[in-house]
Amino acid sequence: ESINPVSTWWMGKISSTTSFPSLTFWWKIGIYGFLGVAVFVLMLLRALMTAKATARSARINHNQLLDSVMNCPSSFFDTTPMGRILNRFTGDIPQIDQFLFSRFLQVIGMWVGLIGQIVIVSVDTPWFLAIGLPILVLYMGLLILYARVSRNLQRLESIARSPVLSHFNETISGAGLTTIRSFGREEAWKEKFHKVNDDLSVPFMLFREGQKWASLYAAVISSLLFTGVMLIGWFFMDASKLSVAIMSSMTFSMMGLQLINMTVDLESKMTSFERVDFYASKLPQEAKGHELEVPDSWPERGDVTFDRVKYKYRPGLPFVLKGVDFEIHGGEKIGVCGRTGAGKSSLLFALFRLVELDPKHAPKMIDMKTGFLVDSDPNEEPNSGRILIDGVDISKLDIHRVRRSVAIIPQDPTLFTGTIRYNMDLAGHASDDRIWEVLEMIEMRDIVAGLPLGLDSQVAEGGGNFSAGQRQLLCFGRAILNNCRVVVMDEATANVDVETDAKIQRTIREQFREQTVIVIAHRLNTIMDSTRIMVMDQGYLSEFDTPENLKANPDSAFNSLIQSLNH
Ligand SMILES: Nc1ncnc2c1ncn2[C@@H]1O[C@H](COP(=O)(O)OP(=O)(O)OP(=O)(O)O)[C@@H](O)[C@H]1O
């Protein structure tokens, strides 16, 4: 860019026969040609370097963003609309990848070019400064004014885009569409979609109109420049200098408008970068590091102890476990029951360290509306208590080590796109024979054998080509193959018929003979054969005893649960 004005200057010089009389015509043309080739070679170099640097920074940016989001605690996902997260990946990242770097180079180049034009013309024609400098100041003023408005409009546009993505996402995911149709709320949903879309369109349209406004004023400034150059040229310049000044002012005014638009555009790309950078480096993260090392064989027994566990999901919410104390011995089969919202699943949440009990691991909080970090109230009572597996406080271990040692069969069975073999054995360690054996145990062998490709048959997105019960069974099979010392099941058989449920419970006792198994169930028959039963009530452990003892006590909460289910 800096050679370009030199080349224009040189052209102006050699058009006058009196300048550089010692150089022949061919030398003058040769130098002009050399400057042209230099511009071409440097542009080629710039393009190559841009391609390399863009690919590298795109990879780094994306990986850092992904790592950071993947390591966010569950509280972040509870308080951040999915649309906002998707917006970072689908809106901001492409802006940075495709445009930021090249736009940055363009803007730098244009500024250098613009200032170069002024310097070169002014060397020969100092009068040009008299008009060039005030015009530069006017352009700067326009830029500052326009940039401020457009920055805020783009911010508003980005805020308004998240609800559109969230609305779309919750409409098509899960049973969203089915529920909307079954309640006949299609029109209301469409209206809401139009409203969030309108909210997004307003700042976008204003931004577009702002561009026209800036173009108009830039054109006015250009006209001032032309008029000024003509007037100064008329009185103070000879013909060759005036021609250079006119050429420069034409470039100058073209560049001025482009420069304003590009600088504003660069700012908006920088806003995308700021948002991605915030997500990549400042989001709350799950606790890293560990104070204690445990051997690979840990946990060997599978003892699970809750020691006065008291926690809330986030600051400002009520406690969901209010000082829960119990000890489970390795190999025990524990049933957990209690009314809806009593805190059964919350026991597992803490066991997986999805919520931290140790206040020093408590993650920072995100404001639901703005998406920025907020400070928690220092006077609020923090989470407390300890969970021990085989006597080791799990908050002192590497979080991934803790999660690897406990297998879960969740309430919402999760299958991934891929083959049945992949879904059963995510680590890829089990033999086909062992997978078929497990399929037999969970009564899925005939179904899988009936598929044309057997274990290589594809599972659709979210396991859509299997019923909810079959999905639960496959997840159950996955847990058997995983062979962890502690296995937890959260309503894992709620969707299978009573007979299959009974068979699964038998399989649990046979296959998980040495493992500690914690089964949460609403269907009390599911847990009747447990070693002991835990009854949760409003965040407290109200009873913990053998099923026989609990049934024998007519005043037990367990008996009243049985009675309420019978009625
Ligand atoms: N992610 C969360 N954020 C905030 N509060 C939560 C969250 N998950 C659960 N809760 C609250 O914690 C309390 C206990 O919920 P929990 O899911 O442990 O109950 P549960 O006994 O498993 O109920 P269910 O039988 O319906 O599954 C409830 O009041 C619930 O509103």
Side-chain angles (χ1 to χ4, degrees):
E1 294 297 338
S2 51
I3 293 178
N4 258 329
V6 175
S7 143
T8 315
W9 170 78
W10 183 249
M11 188 62 175
K13 280 280 168 198
I14 60 176
S15 61
S16 156
T17 48
T18 53
S19 35
F20 302 108
S22 57
L23 293 179
T24 65
F25 170 75
W26 290 111
W27 263 106
K28 289 176 181 174
I29 289 293
I31 291 175
Y32 185 64
F34 172 76
L35 290 172
V37 172
V39 169
F40 174 74
V41 171
L42 287 175
M43 274 170 63
L44 203 67
L45 265 178
R46 184 175 78 178
L48 286 174
M49 281 164 60
T50 307
K52 210 167 161 43
T54 311
R56 190 175 135 75
S57 76
R59 212 173 18 250
I60 294 175
N61 264 332
H62 181 267
N63 289 349
Q64 284 181 347
L65 175 67
L66 188 63
D67 276 355
S68 168
V69 171
M70 296 280 285
N71 284 319
C72 280
S74 62
S75 58
F76 169 76
F77 295 101
D78 285 347
T79 50
T80 308
M82 192 44 78
R84 197 176 287 162
I85 302 171
L86 287 176
N87 203 0
R88 294 299 90 88
F89 285 94
T90 57
D92 292 330
I93 281 277
Q95 287 290 324
I96 300 170
D97 288 356
Q98 292 169 24
F99 307 111
L100 179 68
F101 196 63
S102 54
R103 187 62 90 234
F104 177 70
L105 286 183
Q106 278 171 336
V107 170
I108 294 278
M110 287 189 90
W111 274 110
V112 170
L114 192 77
I115 292 168
Q117 288 285 344
I118 297 175
V119 169
I120 293 222
V121 180
S122 310
V123 167
D124 263 359
T125 321
W127 275 107
F128 186 77
L129 275 183
I131 184 76
L133 282 185
I135 290 294
L136 195 62
V137 171
L138 280 178
Y139 272 129
M140 293 293 282
L142 181 62
L143 175 65
I144 291 169
L145 202 66
Y146 175 43
R148 192 183 304 157
V149 175
S150 107
R151 196 182 309 134
N152 285 324
L153 283 173
Q154 296 204 358
R155 201 157 282 152
L156 285 176
E157 190 193 329
S158 163
I159 292 172
R161 176 170 291 125
S162 302
V164 178
L165 292 172
S166 289
H167 185 69
F168 185 71
N169 191 38
E170 68 188 12
T171 304
I172 58 162
S173 60
L177 213 50
T178 325
T179 312
I180 295 161
R181 284 184 178 148
S182 64
F183 280 86
R185 301 297 297 162
E186 292 95 328
E187 281 310 313
W189 239 250
K190 260 196 244 165
E191 246 170 59
K192 186 172 170 201
F193 190 63
H194 289 154
K195 179 169 178 328
V196 287
N197 242 329
D198 286 350
D199 291 346
L200 173 63
S201 305
V202 170
F204 176 72
M205 297 302 286
L206 286 176
F207 176 66
R208 289 275 144 163
E209 293 308 305
Q211 272 180 334
K212 288 185 201 158
W213 175 90
S215 305
L216 179 71
Y217 279 86
V220 171
I221 299 175
S222 299
S223 318
L224 288 178
L225 175 67
F226 270 115
T227 317
V229 165
M230 287 301 176
L231 284 176
I232 293 173
W234 184 269
F235 293 107
F236 303 103
M237 295 179 192
D238 64 26
S240 72
K241 285 182 180 170
L242 180 61
S243 69
V244 174
I246 290 176
M247 264 174 75
S248 293
S249 52
M250 277 168 65
T251 322
F252 195 84
S253 44
M254 247 165 45
M255 280 172 113
L257 177 61
Q258 269 185 357
L259 197 57
I260 286 179
N261 279 329
M262 283 193 180
T263 311
V264 166
D265 191 48
L266 176 65
E267 265 213 33
S268 84
K269 311 280 181 277
M270 282 308 288
T271 316
S272 288
F273 178 75
E274 273 167 26
R275 285 193 294 255
V276 168
D277 184 49
F278 176 78
Y279 263 54
S281 59
K282 305 215 169 47
L283 285 188
Q285 299 284 285
E286 288 193 316
K288 289 201 177 78
H290 41 89
E291 294 163 39
L292 275 180
E293 286 285 354
V294 280
D296 283 348
S297 53
W298 179 87
E300 281 173 34
R301 301 187 302 275
D303 297 346
V304 177
T305 307
F306 272 49
D307 176 16
R308 286 161 292 144
V309 173
K310 182 172 185 183
Y311 84 80
K312 52 180 107 175
Y313 281 92
R314 292 190 299 282
L317 295 181
F319 282 102
V320 289
L321 292 189
K322 301 169 183 166
V324 174
D325 252 331
F326 61 78
E327 234 175 90
I328 297 173
H329 307 295
E332 274 195 291
K333 310 288 172 275
I334 304 294
V336 185
C337 60
R339 292 190 183 282
T340 296
K344 303 182 291 294
S345 303
S346 301
L347 293 173
L348 306 188
F349 232 76
L351 189 59
F352 279 92
R353 274 181 66 187
L354 291 165
V355 168
E356 294 285 2
L357 299 180
D358 188 340
K360 78 169 180 282
H361 292 323
K364 290 185 202 144
M365 283 296 133
I366 286 276
D367 183 84
M368 225 179 232
K369 268 205 181 123
T370 62
F372 292 121
L373 294 172
V374 282
D375 289 328
S376 319
D377 178 358
N379 300 321
E380 199 174 335
E381 187 183 345
N383 294 345
S384 57
R386 295 184 311 156
I387 296 176
L388 304 113
I389 299 183
D390 276 7
V392 179
D393 181 350
I394 61 169
S395 71
K396 299 202 178 335
L397 300 178
D398 170 37
I399 200 162
H400 302 293
R401 182 69 185 85
V402 173
R403 290 177 187 166
R404 258 205 333 269
S405 60
V406 184
I408 182 162
I409 308 159
Q411 207 161 14
D412 196 7
T414 307
L415 294 185
F416 305 97
T417 314
T419 60
I420 293 181
R421 180 188 287 104
Y422 170 71
N423 269 284
M424 294 283 292
D425 177 28
L426 292 175
H429 294 325
S431 68
D432 279 11
D433 287 347
R434 176 68 183 147
I435 298 178
W436 281 116
E437 201 184 321
V438 171
L439 284 171
E440 173 82 49
M441 288 174 204
I442 57 172
E443 306 213 320
M444 284 290 287
R445 189 187 175 105
D446 291 348
I447 292 164
V448 176
L451 297 172
L453 295 176
L455 288 180
D456 288 319
S457 306
Q458 283 294 317
V459 173
E461 192 183 331
N465 52 344
F466 289 97
S467 75
Q470 288 169 337
R471 289 203 290 275
Q472 281 188 327
L473 292 175
L474 288 172
C475 288
F476 179 53
R478 187 192 290 160
I480 298 179
L481 281 170
N482 202 11
N483 199 23
C484 285
R485 183 55 60 178
V486 181
V487 180
V488 296
M489 299 171 64
D490 189 357
E491 291 289 347
T493 51
N495 291 319
V496 299
D497 59 78
V498 178
E499 210 173 301
T500 314
D501 188 6
K503 164 104 194 317
I504 287 178
Q505 301 312 319
R506 269 200 307 283
T507 311
I508 289 174
R509 280 189 295 281
E510 284 159 20
Q511 290 303 313
F512 295 144
R513 198 166 296 147
E514 297 187 350
Q515 274 93 333
T516 306
V517 183
I518 304 174
V519 179
I520 295 178
H522 273 291
R523 216 189 261 160
L524 294 181
N525 278 342
T526 306
I527 54 171
M528 254 345 166
D529 291 337
S530 310
T531 330
R532 285 188 290 165
I533 288 180
M534 213 179 261
V535 183
M536 291 297 297
D537 184 23
Q538 297 181 34
Y540 293 99
L541 174 62
S542 76
E543 284 163 8
F544 191 23
D545 209 336
T546 60
E548 296 74 30
N549 287 349
L550 290 175
K551 275 196 288 188
N553 176 2
D555 298 327
S556 72
F558 185 63
N559 260 328
S560 67
L561 260 182
I562 295 178
Q563 271 155 24
S564 68
L565 288 176
N566 287 342
H567 287 113

